[in-house]
PDB file of all heavy atoms in Angstrom:
ATOM      1  N   CYS A  61       4.097 101.865 -38.579  1.00  0.00           N
ATOM      2  CA  CYS A  61       5.262 101.042 -38.163  1.00  0.00           C
ATOM      3  C   CYS A  61       4.976  99.583 -38.470  1.00  0.00           C
ATOM      4  O   CYS A  61       3.860  99.176 -38.734  1.00  0.00           O
ATOM      5  CB  CYS A  61       5.546 101.245 -36.685  1.00  0.00           C
ATOM      6  SG  CYS A  61       4.253 100.677 -35.592  1.00  0.00           S
ATOM      7  N   VAL A  62       6.053  98.767 -38.403  1.00  0.00           N
ATOM      8  CA  VAL A  62       5.910  97.363 -38.755  1.00  0.00           C
ATOM      9  C   VAL A  62       4.955  96.643 -37.815  1.00  0.00           C
ATOM     10  O   VAL A  62       4.165  95.820 -38.213  1.00  0.00           O
ATOM     11  CB  VAL A  62       7.314  96.673 -38.744  1.00  0.00           C
ATOM     12  CG1 VAL A  62       7.168  95.192 -38.997  1.00  0.00           C
ATOM     13  CG2 VAL A  62       8.234  97.309 -39.778  1.00  0.00           C
ATOM     14  N   ALA A  63       5.022  96.994 -36.532  1.00  0.00           N
ATOM     15  CA  ALA A  63       4.155  96.317 -35.518  1.00  0.00           C
ATOM     16  C   ALA A  63       2.691  96.619 -35.819  1.00  0.00           C
ATOM     17  O   ALA A  63       1.849  95.712 -35.822  1.00  0.00           O
ATOM     18  CB  ALA A  63       4.543  96.774 -34.125  1.00  0.00           C
ATOM     19  N   CYS A  64       2.376  97.851 -36.119  1.00  0.00           N
ATOM     20  CA  CYS A  64       0.988  98.205 -36.399  1.00  0.00           C
ATOM     21  C   CYS A  64       0.527  97.622 -37.739  1.00  0.00           C
ATOM     22  O   CYS A  64      -0.596  97.226 -37.918  1.00  0.00           O
ATOM     23  CB  CYS A  64       0.821  99.704 -36.387  1.00  0.00           C
ATOM     24  SG  CYS A  64       1.051 100.466 -34.749  1.00  0.00           S
ATOM     25  N   LEU A  65       1.492  97.589 -38.702  1.00  0.00           N
ATOM     26  CA  LEU A  65       1.161  97.058 -39.995  1.00  0.00           C
ATOM     27  C   LEU A  65       0.799  95.591 -39.893  1.00  0.00           C
ATOM     28  O   LEU A  65      -0.139  95.089 -40.582  1.00  0.00           O
ATOM     29  CB  LEU A  65       2.336  97.253 -40.963  1.00  0.00           C
ATOM     30  CG  LEU A  65       2.072  97.055 -42.465  1.00  0.00           C
ATOM     31  CD1 LEU A  65       0.984  97.977 -42.922  1.00  0.00           C
ATOM     32  CD2 LEU A  65       3.350  97.311 -43.253  1.00  0.00           C
ATOM     33  N   ARG A  66       1.502  94.828 -39.019  1.00  0.00           N
ATOM     34  CA  ARG A  66       1.207  93.427 -38.847  1.00  0.00           C
ATOM     35  C   ARG A  66      -0.114  93.194 -38.157  1.00  0.00           C
ATOM     36  O   ARG A  66      -0.788  92.150 -38.375  1.00  0.00           O
ATOM     37  CB  ARG A  66       2.343  92.734 -38.075  1.00  0.00           C
ATOM     38  CG  ARG A  66       3.581  92.510 -38.924  1.00  0.00           C
ATOM     39  CD  ARG A  66       4.692  91.846 -38.146  1.00  0.00           C
ATOM     40  NE  ARG A  66       5.853  91.567 -38.981  1.00  0.00           N
ATOM     41  CZ  ARG A  66       6.993  91.125 -38.537  1.00  0.00           C
ATOM     42  NH1 ARG A  66       7.186  90.972 -37.224  1.00  0.00           N
ATOM     43  NH2 ARG A  66       7.998  90.908 -39.372  1.00  0.00           N
ATOM     44  N   THR A  67      -0.493  94.120 -37.295  1.00  0.00           N
ATOM     45  CA  THR A  67      -1.810  93.987 -36.645  1.00  0.00           C
ATOM     46  C   THR A  67      -2.935  94.247 -37.640  1.00  0.00           C
ATOM     47  O   THR A  67      -4.047  93.694 -37.500  1.00  0.00           O
ATOM     48  CB  THR A  67      -1.946  94.967 -35.470  1.00  0.00           C
ATOM     49  OG1 THR A  67      -1.756  96.301 -35.940  1.00  0.00           O
ATOM     50  CG2 THR A  67      -0.895  94.653 -34.394  1.00  0.00           C
ATOM     51  N   GLN A  68      -2.677  95.046 -38.666  1.00  0.00           N
ATOM     52  CA  GLN A  68      -3.690  95.360 -39.634  1.00  0.00           C
ATOM     53  C   GLN A  68      -3.748  94.315 -40.768  1.00  0.00           C
ATOM     54  O   GLN A  68      -4.832  93.989 -41.256  1.00  0.00           O
ATOM     55  CB  GLN A  68      -3.401  96.756 -40.245  1.00  0.00           C
ATOM     56  CG  GLN A  68      -3.492  97.902 -39.253  1.00  0.00           C
ATOM     57  CD  GLN A  68      -4.864  98.119 -38.703  1.00  0.00           C
ATOM     58  OE1 GLN A  68      -5.842  98.003 -39.443  1.00  0.00           O
ATOM     59  NE2 GLN A  68      -4.954  98.425 -37.435  1.00  0.00           N
ATOM     60  N   VAL A  69      -2.546  93.825 -41.151  1.00  0.00           N
ATOM     61  CA  VAL A  69      -2.464  92.904 -42.299  1.00  0.00           C
ATOM     62  C   VAL A  69      -1.658  91.675 -41.895  1.00  0.00           C
ATOM     63  O   VAL A  69      -0.572  91.792 -41.345  1.00  0.00           O
ATOM     64  CB  VAL A  69      -1.820  93.590 -43.502  1.00  0.00           C
ATOM     65  CG1 VAL A  69      -1.750  92.608 -44.681  1.00  0.00           C
ATOM     66  CG2 VAL A  69      -2.546  94.849 -43.879  1.00  0.00           C
ATOM     67  N   ASP A  70      -2.179  90.492 -42.166  1.00  0.00           N
ATOM     68  CA  ASP A  70      -1.447  89.225 -41.958  1.00  0.00           C
ATOM     69  C   ASP A  70      -1.240  88.585 -43.327  1.00  0.00           C
ATOM     70  O   ASP A  70      -2.154  88.057 -43.953  1.00  0.00           O
ATOM     71  CB  ASP A  70      -2.242  88.290 -41.049  1.00  0.00           C
ATOM     72  CG  ASP A  70      -1.513  86.998 -40.766  1.00  0.00           C
ATOM     73  OD1 ASP A  70      -0.289  86.905 -41.082  1.00  0.00           O
ATOM     74  OD2 ASP A  70      -2.130  86.026 -40.258  1.00  0.00           O
ATOM     75  N   ILE A  71       0.014  88.664 -43.839  1.00  0.00           N
ATOM     76  CA  ILE A  71       0.265  88.178 -45.186  1.00  0.00           C
ATOM     77  C   ILE A  71       0.249  86.647 -45.222  1.00  0.00           C
ATOM     78  O   ILE A  71       0.233  86.070 -46.331  1.00  0.00           O
ATOM     79  CB  ILE A  71       1.600  88.686 -45.716  1.00  0.00           C
ATOM     80  CG1 ILE A  71       2.789  88.148 -44.865  1.00  0.00           C
ATOM     81  CG2 ILE A  71       1.613  90.202 -45.762  1.00  0.00           C
ATOM     82  CD1 ILE A  71       4.148  88.527 -45.466  1.00  0.00           C
ATOM     83  N   THR A  72       0.301  85.947 -44.076  1.00  0.00           N
ATOM     84  CA  THR A  72       0.222  84.496 -44.076  1.00  0.00           C
ATOM     85  C   THR A  72      -1.200  83.976 -44.004  1.00  0.00           C
ATOM     86  O   THR A  72      -1.407  82.782 -43.851  1.00  0.00           O
ATOM     87  CB  THR A  72       1.062  83.922 -42.916  1.00  0.00           C
ATOM     88  OG1 THR A  72       0.440  84.308 -41.654  1.00  0.00           O
ATOM     89  CG2 THR A  72       2.484  84.440 -42.938  1.00  0.00           C
ATOM     90  N   GLU A  73      -2.190  84.903 -44.081  1.00  0.00           N
ATOM     91  CA  GLU A  73      -3.555  84.481 -44.003  1.00  0.00           C
ATOM     92  C   GLU A  73      -3.856  83.597 -45.208  1.00  0.00           C
ATOM     93  O   GLU A  73      -3.573  83.941 -46.353  1.00  0.00           O
ATOM     94  CB  GLU A  73      -4.484  85.671 -43.961  1.00  0.00           C
ATOM     95  CG  GLU A  73      -5.953  85.319 -43.749  1.00  0.00           C
ATOM     96  CD  GLU A  73      -6.815  86.550 -43.659  1.00  0.00           C
ATOM     97  OE1 GLU A  73      -6.290  87.656 -43.818  1.00  0.00           O
ATOM     98  OE2 GLU A  73      -8.035  86.394 -43.465  1.00  0.00           O
ATOM     99  N   GLY A  74      -4.523  82.477 -44.940  1.00  0.00           N
ATOM    100  CA  GLY A  74      -4.836  81.534 -46.018  1.00  0.00           C
ATOM    101  C   GLY A  74      -3.833  80.452 -46.229  1.00  0.00           C
ATOM    102  O   GLY A  74      -4.087  79.475 -46.953  1.00  0.00           O
ATOM    103  N   ILE A  75      -2.649  80.603 -45.617  1.00  0.00           N
ATOM    104  CA  ILE A  75      -1.635  79.546 -45.697  1.00  0.00           C
ATOM    105  C   ILE A  75      -1.816  78.627 -44.499  1.00  0.00           C
ATOM    106  O   ILE A  75      -1.705  79.059 -43.353  1.00  0.00           O
ATOM    107  CB  ILE A  75      -0.220  80.129 -45.730  1.00  0.00           C
ATOM    108  CG1 ILE A  75      -0.044  81.083 -46.915  1.00  0.00           C
ATOM    109  CG2 ILE A  75       0.828  79.013 -45.802  1.00  0.00           C
ATOM    110  CD1 ILE A  75       1.285  81.776 -46.956  1.00  0.00           C
ATOM    111  N   PRO A  76      -2.062  77.320 -44.681  1.00  0.00           N
ATOM    112  CA  PRO A  76      -2.293  76.397 -43.527  1.00  0.00           C
ATOM    113  C   PRO A  76      -1.028  76.290 -42.694  1.00  0.00           C
ATOM    114  O   PRO A  76       0.094  76.242 -43.226  1.00  0.00           O
ATOM    115  CB  PRO A  76      -2.650  75.100 -44.208  1.00  0.00           C
ATOM    116  CG  PRO A  76      -2.084  75.182 -45.588  1.00  0.00           C
ATOM    117  CD  PRO A  76      -2.139  76.610 -45.974  1.00  0.00           C
ATOM    118  N   LYS A  77      -1.199  76.265 -41.413  1.00  0.00           N
ATOM    119  CA  LYS A  77      -0.070  76.132 -40.476  1.00  0.00           C
ATOM    120  C   LYS A  77       0.177  74.670 -40.057  1.00  0.00           C
ATOM    121  O   LYS A  77       1.162  74.374 -39.406  1.00  0.00           O
ATOM    122  CB  LYS A  77      -0.333  76.975 -39.211  1.00  0.00           C
ATOM    123  CG  LYS A  77      -0.567  78.455 -39.523  1.00  0.00           C
ATOM    124  CD  LYS A  77       0.575  79.088 -40.277  1.00  0.00           C
ATOM    125  CE  LYS A  77       0.366  80.574 -40.451  1.00  0.00           C
ATOM    126  NZ  LYS A  77      -0.756  80.901 -41.335  1.00  0.00           N
ATOM    127  N   GLN A  78      -0.741  73.770 -40.438  1.00  0.00           N
ATOM    128  CA  GLN A  78      -0.568  72.369 -40.136  1.00  0.00           C
ATOM    129  C   GLN A  78      -1.066  71.572 -41.331  1.00  0.00           C
ATOM    130  O   GLN A  78      -2.191  71.745 -41.785  1.00  0.00           O
ATOM    131  CB  GLN A  78      -1.306  71.963 -38.858  1.00  0.00           C
ATOM    132  CG  GLN A  78      -0.920  70.561 -38.373  1.00  0.00           C
ATOM    133  CD  GLN A  78      -1.551  70.204 -37.041  1.00  0.00           C
ATOM    134  OE1 GLN A  78      -2.767  70.174 -36.942  1.00  0.00           O
ATOM    135  NE2 GLN A  78      -0.739  69.978 -36.031  1.00  0.00           N
ATOM    136  N   VAL A  79      -0.205  70.704 -41.876  1.00  0.00           N
ATOM    137  CA  VAL A  79      -0.501  69.923 -43.063  1.00  0.00           C
ATOM    138  C   VAL A  79      -0.177  68.458 -42.790  1.00  0.00           C
ATOM    139  O   VAL A  79       0.711  68.158 -41.973  1.00  0.00           O
ATOM    140  CB  VAL A  79       0.336  70.443 -44.270  1.00  0.00           C
ATOM    141  CG1 VAL A  79      -0.055  69.719 -45.574  1.00  0.00           C
ATOM    142  CG2 VAL A  79       0.163  71.945 -44.447  1.00  0.00           C
ATOM    143  N   ILE A  80      -0.866  67.574 -43.461  1.00  0.00           N
ATOM    144  CA  ILE A  80      -0.683  66.136 -43.297  1.00  0.00           C
ATOM    145  C   ILE A  80       0.071  65.598 -44.508  1.00  0.00           C
ATOM    146  O   ILE A  80      -0.251  65.902 -45.645  1.00  0.00           O
ATOM    147  CB  ILE A  80      -2.014  65.398 -43.117  1.00  0.00           C
ATOM    148  CG1 ILE A  80      -2.706  65.820 -41.840  1.00  0.00           C
ATOM    149  CG2 ILE A  80      -1.846  63.899 -43.160  1.00  0.00           C
ATOM    150  CD1 ILE A  80      -4.116  65.245 -41.637  1.00  0.00           C
ATOM    151  N   VAL A  81       1.115  64.777 -44.239  1.00  0.00           N
ATOM    152  CA  VAL A  81       1.819  64.049 -45.300  1.00  0.00           C
ATOM    153  C   VAL A  81       1.739  62.582 -44.989  1.00  0.00           C
ATOM    154  O   VAL A  81       1.745  62.184 -43.801  1.00  0.00           O
ATOM    155  CB  VAL A  81       3.295  64.482 -45.427  1.00  0.00           C
ATOM    156  CG1 VAL A  81       3.406  65.899 -45.943  1.00  0.00           C
ATOM    157  CG2 VAL A  81       4.054  64.338 -44.112  1.00  0.00           C
ATOM    158  N   HIS A  82       1.622  61.761 -46.012  1.00  0.00           N
ATOM    159  CA  HIS A  82       1.453  60.313 -45.834  1.00  0.00           C
ATOM    160  C   HIS A  82       2.767  59.595 -46.099  1.00  0.00           C
ATOM    161  O   HIS A  82       3.478  59.904 -47.080  1.00  0.00           O
ATOM    162  CB  HIS A  82       0.362  59.784 -46.753  1.00  0.00           C
ATOM    163  CG  HIS A  82      -0.995  60.346 -46.466  1.00  0.00           C
ATOM    164  ND1 HIS A  82      -1.759  59.965 -45.396  1.00  0.00           N
ATOM    165  CD2 HIS A  82      -1.724  61.321 -47.118  1.00  0.00           C
ATOM    166  CE1 HIS A  82      -2.903  60.639 -45.371  1.00  0.00           C
ATOM    167  NE2 HIS A  82      -2.899  61.484 -46.413  1.00  0.00           N
TER     168      HIS A  82
END
Side-chain angles (χ1 to χ4, degrees):
C61 65
V62 175
C64 293
L65 194 57
R66 284 180 176 171
T67 59
Q68 298 293 322
V69 181
D70 182 13
I71 65 174
T72 65
E73 185 179 2
I75 301 177
K77 303 302 186 293
Q78 191 174 62
V79 185
I80 295 175
V81 293
H82 296 285

